[in-house]
């Protein structure tokens, strides 16, 4: 089966986007892992499927990590989703309603070309994250080997554990991130965020993403980090988030309010891949 795809990225967090409306698509976890291989396939952090909505939204949005597992939400992917459906003539609406596993998001294509996304209301109840704790708390100690780290835990449609570090460059993302991701306190695993506070309106951030490892940028991770900083009283309501792939603007007005994320999305190239060749050949 030959499959049309588009390679995109949001601040270096890269995606393969597939239109599952105008072509028949059936992808097993094994095939997704083959497509994700940066030597034998296309290569990506996440694969995004554009599908017809099941309810009254405009589209349905499904996200698969490079390991083949389906996840609930991806902020950088949401911006690429909007860019894709406009570029491919699937909609001419500036603001669209998109179904995800965890609810409807409403991205908007701005006049300057950037994309703003209403990422929904953060969830803090440990059962909703999910996280093994009896009740909500501002921070929690999490034991990693012979030491503990202080984390804020929340869901942005997917689970996040955010800690503040003094220097982002020295943060143990590679050595510790996987241990936090797979910690037994998180039954569905977790995204591990490392945040350095520059001032009340600016942070630097690195994220070890569940099922993908450290990425150049993480949209939901940026949202979770800003929310955690506001809850801890170290950030104001509008924050500039600097990641290795670039910058996002995050706004959150507090409890029971949605988080807004604004940033770019870029198309890299389009191609066709023959899945019968196990993801080993493509024609660009």
């Amino acid at each position: 089966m030959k499959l049309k795809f588009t390679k995109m990225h949001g601040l270096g967090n890269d995606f393969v986007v597939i239109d599952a409306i105008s072509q028949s698509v059936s992808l097993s976890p094994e095939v997704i892992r083959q497509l994700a291989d940066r030597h034998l396939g296309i290569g990506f952090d996440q694969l995004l499927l554009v599908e017809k909505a099941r309810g009254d939204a405009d589209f349905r949005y499904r996200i698969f990590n490079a390991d083949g597992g389906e996840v609930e939400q991806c902020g950088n992917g949401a911006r690429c989703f909007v860019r894709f459906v406009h570029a491919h003539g699937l909609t001419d609406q500036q603001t669209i309603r998109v179904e995800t596993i965890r609810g409807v998001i409403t991205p908007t294509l701005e006049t300057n070309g950037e994309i703003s996304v209403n990422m929904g209301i953060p969830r803090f109840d440990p059962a909703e994250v999910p996280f093994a704790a009896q009740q909500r708390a501002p921070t929690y100690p999490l034991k990693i080997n012979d030491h503990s780290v202080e984390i804020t835990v929340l869901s942005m449609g997917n689970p996040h554990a955010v800690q503040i570090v003094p220097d982002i460059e020295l943060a143990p993302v590679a050595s510790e991130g996987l241990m936090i991701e797979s910690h037994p306190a998180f039954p569905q695993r977790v995204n591990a965020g490392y945040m350095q506070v520059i001032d009340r309106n600016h942070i630097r951030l690195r994220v070890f993403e569940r099922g993908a490892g450290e990425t150049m940028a993480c949209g939901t991770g940026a949202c979770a980090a800003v929310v955690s900083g506001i809850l801890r009283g170290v950030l104001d309501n509008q924050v500039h988030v600097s990641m290795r792939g670039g910058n996002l603007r995050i706004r959150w007005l507090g409890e029971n309010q949605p988080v807004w994320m604004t940033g770019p999305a870029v198309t890299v190239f389009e191609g066709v891949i023959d899945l019968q060749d196990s993801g080993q050949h493509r024609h660009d």
Side-chain angles (χ1 to χ4, degrees):
M1 179 179 69
K2 290 188 176 182
L3 193 65
K4 295 179 181 178
F5 68 90
T6 300
K7 184 70 183 286
M8 305 186 74
H9 77 86
L11 305 181
N13 185 191
D14 66 330
F15 308 96
V16 160
V17 187
I18 295 176
D19 178 358
I21 296 175
S22 60
Q23 62 183 337
S24 178
V25 177
S26 179
L27 300 174
S28 67
E30 179 184 9
V31 169
I32 292 172
R33 288 192 294 270
Q34 291 171 348
L35 293 174
D37 190 297
R38 296 188 183 274
H39 300 287
L40 303 176
I42 307 168
F44 55 80
D45 292 324
Q46 281 92 20
L47 181 144
L48 313 179
L49 283 185
V50 180
E51 297 183 344
K52 291 181 180 178
R54 294 181 175 179
D56 61 356
D58 299 298
F59 299 98
R60 184 171 182 234
Y61 170 37
R62 297 179 69 190
I63 309 120
F64 297 87
N65 279 338
D67 65 359
E70 186 169 6
V71 294
E72 306 92 339
Q73 186 56 281
C74 176
N76 288 325
R79 298 198 315 279
C80 288
F81 188 103
V82 175
R83 177 77 66 207
F84 179 92
V85 296
H86 275 271
H88 287 255
L90 298 176
T91 185
D92 59 3
Q93 300 179 65
Q94 296 304 107
T95 299
I96 59 174
R97 299 179 71 250
V98 183
E99 295 173 353
T100 72
I101 291 177
R102 285 294 183 92
V104 175
I105 59 173
T106 54
T108 298
L109 179 62
E110 305 286 359
T111 54
N112 65 0
E114 288 198 321
I115 294 145
S116 296
V117 186
N118 178 336
M119 295 297 293
I121 298 171
R123 302 176 187 181
F124 305 103
D125 185 335
E128 292 188 81
V129 175
F131 173 60
Q134 293 300 312
Q135 59 186 16
R136 175 181 170 179
T139 62
Y140 306 85
L142 188 73
K143 189 171 183 181
I144 304 293
N145 287 340
D146 58 352
H147 70 286
S148 289
V149 296
E150 184 182 19
I151 56 172
T152 300
V153 176
L154 67 146
S155 172
M156 283 303 311
N158 56 356
H160 290 268
V162 184
Q163 58 182 291
I164 296 176
V165 296
D167 186 341
I168 202 73
E169 298 304 327
L170 301 178
V173 181
S175 60
E176 186 184 271
L178 183 61
M179 290 186 284
I180 295 177
E181 177 205 11
S182 57
H183 196 284
F186 296 96
Q188 295 180 14
R189 299 186 294 164
V190 72
N191 299 286
Y194 296 80
M195 171 175 64
Q196 178 184 351
V197 179
I198 307 301
D199 59 43
R200 294 191 64 86
N201 300 104
H202 184 199
I203 65 170
R204 298 177 68 199
L205 179 69
R206 293 171 66 185
V207 181
F208 191 98
E209 291 198 47
R210 178 181 56 166
E214 184 177 5
T215 55
M216 295 285 287
C218 177
T220 58
C223 295
V226 170
V227 168
S228 73
I230 293 172
L231 289 176
R232 293 192 194 198
V234 297
L235 295 177
D236 290 337
N237 297 114
Q238 298 194 60
V239 179
H240 184 86
V241 181
S242 298
M243 294 172 283
R244 290 185 168 181
N247 304 308
L248 290 174
R249 298 191 305 279
I250 306 297
R251 178 166 59 93
W252 186 53
L253 298 181
E255 202 82 17
N256 298 316
Q257 295 297 313
V259 181
W260 283 89
M261 171 190 64
T262 301
V266 177
T267 297
V268 183
F269 64 87
E270 299 196 346
V272 178
I273 191 162
D274 191 341
L275 298 182
Q276 292 179 344
D277 288 341
S278 300
Q280 295 184 29
H281 304 287
R282 68 170 184 262
H283 309 284
D284 301 335

